[in-house]
Amino acid sequence: MHRIARTTMPLLLLGLVAGACSPAGATPADDGDGKATLTFLTFETPNLDAKYWDAAIARAEKKVPGVRIKKLVAPSADRTGYAKQLLGSGQFPDVMIAVSPSGFAESGQLAPFTDAELTSFTFPHSNPIGGKIYQLPYNTQPTPLIYYRKSIFRTAGIDAPPKTYRELLEDSATLKKAGVDPFVVGGGGKDSFAASYLWTALVGTDVYRKRPDWLAQRRAGKVKFTDPLFKNATGKFVGLVDKGYVDSSGLSRDYAATEKAFLAGKGAMYPMGGWFATAADQSPVKDDIGVFPFPTEDGSTVLPSYTGGGMSVSAKSAHVDLAKKFALAFNEDRRNLDAVVKSDGAIIAEKGYTPPQGMGPVYRATAEVYDSAVAADGVVNAFLVETGDDAMLPGTVDQSYAFAQDIIAGRKNADQVTRALDEAWAKADTE
């Protein structure tokens, strides 16, 4: 992920600086029509492009009379980092989507949603911060699943996807022997997050499965990254790289190039979030793509997932109530929900919602894996994706992406990475 320049000031200090500047939220209407202008920070991807956002904003605007939306687009996938920059310059947006509330909420920059405002959501209390909800929990994203090319497996003599970690290693060795890269990974340029997904999977299967509140315990100082449980999971990630199952040249690929490489058959397996299903279903090889959860030692189902991703509202907005109404209108609009399902493979976490008809085979398979994990009580948090009281400390997620790149490039082993992560955590904990 291309990281924008970072300020070195702690977030709380940024809030104080921002308070001394004119707010960047709602401003008086400039057309004399009585409408309040709200700034809305969003992002654009190949799946969720400008056309999608413009149409979705227009639909929500119609449901909230008196509102005009000014769209702000983050210059990279790091919209949380960009939101910090906007806060520091006194331009914090009125509403924002898929921005981690951690840090912002604690420093009083976000307005909490009430229980009455959350009644339509399946998991209304997902990712609380101090017991309050600052981001609408509208969307569940399994992160990651393992997508695979059925034809490549068959050609290598693999009849079915692995169910245990031992089978995964055996299949990876078979693929490597056949001259195929087992895992297609990315992480280059602006998209460093993609380098971390095998790590996320292993922390889910080996750490969070045993201790679901592990990261909350880390925040409480009861565990460390250098403890055997976490270090062993990290060691498995290192082991996959050392065995040659992860192509380090993938670090030069950004998100789009990595997706293209997998669809072109440059490797057998692709660790990626459920949103990939949409791109897969739009490809000519959609019927050749299967999906499975990252295997556990004993074959049980564990699936890291995140529920949230919705709108947050600035507590300093000149029109907090209107901003909340817009946020809810945006995240509850059926056409907006259908559009994000079709565009980004979302699994909507709102009561009574059903996906639109005609979803493709990869999306349906993705949803089936998620439903099976729910039925097996195997859904756990997704390491590096969490927000709320058990999230990583501000700044440490970006550092973790860099550590994942170091592992794939062979620059660091499990001891070095976990020590460095503990050091980064200690520094962040004092800021």
Side-chain angles (χ1 to χ4, degrees):
M1 187 183 301
H2 175 66
R3 315 314 285 179
I4 56 179
R6 297 291 208 150
T7 175
T8 58
M9 289 187 293
L11 188 53
L12 180 58
L13 181 56
L14 283 177
L16 295 175
V17 172
C21 304
S22 58
T27 57
D30 55 6
D31 292 335
D33 58 3
K35 289 188 175 181
T37 298
L38 303 177
T39 51
F40 173 29
L41 175 61
T42 185
F43 60 96
E44 293 176 0
T45 69
N47 292 347
L48 300 177
D49 57 13
K51 183 178 179 181
Y52 161 77
W53 290 111
D54 290 343
I57 288 169
R59 284 191 289 267
E61 275 182 321
K62 290 180 180 179
K63 294 188 175 184
V64 187
V67 165
R68 178 189 296 106
I69 298 301
K70 178 182 179 182
K71 183 178 70 171
L72 306 176
V73 179
S76 77
D78 184 18
R79 53 252 184 199
T80 300
Y82 187 57
K84 291 179 183 179
Q85 284 197 336
L86 293 176
L87 176 62
S89 61
Q91 301 177 79
F92 199 51
D94 294 282
V95 289
M96 60 214 85
I97 193 165
V99 169
S100 172
S102 296
F104 296 113
E106 293 90 334
S107 60
Q109 300 301 326
L110 298 180
F113 291 96
T114 66
D115 286 347
E117 291 166 333
L118 297 169
T119 56
S120 68
F121 298 93
T122 307
F123 306 108
H125 298 111
S126 295
N127 305 300
I129 297 177
K132 297 180 180 180
I133 303 301
Y134 294 90
Q135 184 182 60
L136 294 178
Y138 90 110
N139 176 11
T140 295
Q141 294 182 325
T143 309
L145 300 125
I146 306 299
Y147 293 93
Y148 72 102
R149 295 294 298 272
K150 299 175 185 177
S151 61
I152 294 178
F153 269 42
R154 286 196 301 268
T155 299
I158 302 170
D159 297 328
K163 292 184 178 181
T164 67
Y165 189 69
R166 179 178 178 179
E167 290 175 355
L168 176 70
L169 295 179
E170 292 171 349
D171 290 346
S172 295
T174 298
L175 291 163
K176 187 72 175 177
K177 186 176 181 180
V180 177
D181 284 324
F183 286 102
V184 175
V185 300
K190 65 184 186 301
D191 296 324
S192 59
F193 69 93
S196 68
Y197 283 155
L198 286 172
W199 199 9
T200 297
L202 284 158
V203 171
T205 58
D206 288 24
V207 180
Y208 291 174
R209 179 195 178 198
K210 296 176 181 177
R211 299 173 74 172
D213 64 342
W214 191 91
L215 201 51
Q217 292 187 36
R218 183 65 188 88
R219 290 178 73 107
K222 297 179 180 179
V223 296
K224 290 187 176 182
F225 294 106
T226 48
D227 290 350
L229 187 64
F230 190 93
K231 185 164 69 173
N232 289 344
T234 304
K236 283 187 174 182
F237 181 21
V238 174
L240 291 173
V241 173
D242 287 347
K243 291 180 174 67
Y245 300 158
V246 181
D247 180 13
S248 62
S249 66
L251 290 177
S252 66
R253 293 189 291 244
D254 63 11
Y255 178 88
T258 309
E259 182 177 277
K260 183 178 179 180
F262 175 70
L263 293 174
K266 300 299 184 181
M269 294 178 283
Y270 182 39
M272 186 47 61
W275 55 86
F276 169 68
T278 298
D281 279 330
Q282 293 173 350
S283 76
V285 296
K286 63 182 180 182
D287 292 321
D288 189 42
I289 298 174
V291 59
F292 60 92
F294 193 88
T296 57
E297 291 287 351
D298 62 3
S300 59
T301 300
V302 172
L303 185 62
S305 297
Y306 171 77
T307 297
M311 302 282 249
S312 297
V313 170
S314 169
K316 307 301 173 61
S317 170
H319 299 279
V320 172
D321 289 343
L322 280 176
K324 283 180 141 188
K325 288 178 180 178
F326 174 79
L328 288 161
F330 188 98
N331 275 155
E332 293 177 347
D333 183 87
R334 171 74 196 212
R335 288 171 296 176
N336 283 359
L337 297 178
D338 285 352
V340 78
V341 170
K342 293 176 181 178
S343 299
D344 214 37
I347 296 176
I348 299 300
E350 296 194 27
K351 296 174 183 177
Y353 179 83
T354 55
Q357 296 293 318
M359 294 302 294
V362 183
Y363 178 85
R364 295 197 303 271
T366 297
E368 287 174 5
V369 170
Y370 176 75
D371 290 342
S372 296
V374 171
D377 195 25
V379 176
V380 298
N381 285 345
F383 175 57
L384 302 180
V385 183
E386 308 103 320
T387 60
D389 290 334
D390 57 356
M392 296 283 284
L393 293 179
T396 57
V397 171
D398 297 333
Q399 291 169 302
S400 297
Y401 295 157
F403 295 150
Q405 290 176 317
D406 287 339
I407 288 174
I408 292 174
R411 292 189 291 263
K412 284 187 172 67
N413 59 30
D415 285 332
Q416 293 168 319
V417 163
T418 53
R419 284 200 306 270
L421 194 48
D422 273 331
E423 291 169 1
W425 186 277
K427 183 178 179 181
D429 204 23
T430 64
E431 295 179 345

